[in-house]
Amino acid sequence: MDEAKQHYGGHMGVDERMTDDNGLVYYKTWDEKDHHSVVLRQSDTAGLDHFAYKVFDDATLDHYKEGIEAFGVAVEEVPAGTYPKSGRRLKFKIPSGHEMHLYAEKEQVGNTLGTMNPGTIPDEGVIRGMRIYGLDHLFVLGPDMVENVRLFTEVFGFDLAEELVDEPGGNQILTFLSCSSRAHDIAFGMHPEPGRFHHMSFRLNSTQDHIH
């Protein structure tokens, strides 16, 4: 964990927010307003415990719960405060075997710019390391990827942005889904083992930042 903290905090330059009683370490990038977007847990193996999406409000959680259950996926209600700085959550397992959460509330800490007539560049010293300003997307692998795509498009309203198939009109191998103006917010790949983690990606502002 000491080496991981040096990588994330020292080299990448993301902001370490807290360490909880279980030793989990919480991070956010400078421009994210929620308390954290990435949590690290010490383990003998690399992997992914869960990933989560924030929705518009509490009523939206109720709407999605109905849709997820109608799709045939069991949903667990998680009370507010179970996860630090977070409101109530929906917890469920998507067809590829990954644990996914939805939540509407998380403690807001801001980005030092304020909300009334904010500036464009934060206080000196806030942008550090690799100049990362946001968590961008996740790439995970597992079986039943086609059902993942159906869940995300039919229930969550994602758009299928791109797909890789084994032949024209054939089977999907990779799929890229978006719920924003970005090229994709999550990607799925076929793999015989469930719940596999490939990578997460962070956003930079410019090509110069990539060079930096």
Side-chain angles (χ1 to χ4, degrees):
M1 181 61 83
D2 288 341
E3 292 178 357
K5 290 171 69 172
Q6 175 62 22
H7 175 74
Y8 280 82
H11 298 154
M12 291 174 62
V14 292
D15 184 20
E16 182 179 327
R17 300 297 305 170
M18 62 176 274
T19 300
D20 69 15
D21 294 339
N22 297 313
L24 276 67
V25 186
Y26 296 70
Y27 289 92
K28 70 179 285 293
T29 69
W30 78 262
D31 198 33
E32 292 171 329
K33 299 173 180 62
D34 281 359
H35 180 271
H36 61 271
S37 61
V38 176
V39 184
L40 300 184
R41 177 176 64 83
Q42 186 161 334
S43 174
D44 293 332
T45 58
L48 177 72
D49 287 342
H50 71 262
F51 66 94
Y53 278 98
K54 189 176 186 180
V55 302
F56 184 69
D57 57 16
D58 205 58
T60 306
L61 281 180
D62 294 331
H63 168 76
Y64 279 134
K65 182 181 180 183
E66 291 181 6
I68 298 164
E69 290 177 335
F71 188 84
V73 173
V75 178
E76 178 184 343
E77 285 266 7
V78 181
T82 303
Y83 291 89
K85 313 297 183 180
S86 180
R88 77 176 179 106
R89 295 190 178 198
L90 304 180
K91 182 168 77 171
F92 49 95
K93 188 162 287 189
I94 62 175
S96 56
H98 298 88
E99 183 177 307
M100 177 174 167
H101 298 183
L102 296 177
Y103 66 97
E105 298 178 0
K106 187 179 285 185
E107 181 180 312
Q108 299 279 290
V109 297
N111 63 359
T112 78
L113 297 177
T115 56
M116 178 65 71
N117 296 328
T120 56
I121 300 175
D123 297 337
E124 187 70 26
V126 174
I127 299 180
R128 308 184 310 274
M130 299 178 188
R131 303 175 181 176
I132 293 164
Y133 77 94
L135 181 62
D136 189 81
H137 68 263
L138 184 71
F139 180 23
V140 294
L141 305 102
D144 297 327
M145 186 187 70
V146 173
E147 287 298 288
N148 271 8
V149 173
R150 199 164 69 83
L151 174 65
F152 273 70
T153 55
E154 294 180 7
V155 177
F156 300 140
F158 280 61
D159 293 314
L160 178 61
E162 187 177 352
E163 62 181 354
L164 178 67
V165 295
D166 55 7
E167 60 180 338
N171 299 312
Q172 291 173 323
I173 300 172
L174 298 174
T175 56
F176 302 85
L177 301 169
S178 177
C179 63
S180 68
S181 59
R182 292 192 291 272
H184 55 277
D185 294 285
I186 192 165
F188 299 117
M190 285 295 294
H191 197 284
E193 297 179 30
R196 297 299 296 267
F197 175 51
H198 193 281
H199 72 260
M200 60 180 174
S201 180
F202 293 88
R203 290 196 296 276
L204 302 178
N205 267 316
S206 70
T207 302
Q208 288 299 314
D209 280 345
H210 279 90
I211 295 170
H212 175 82

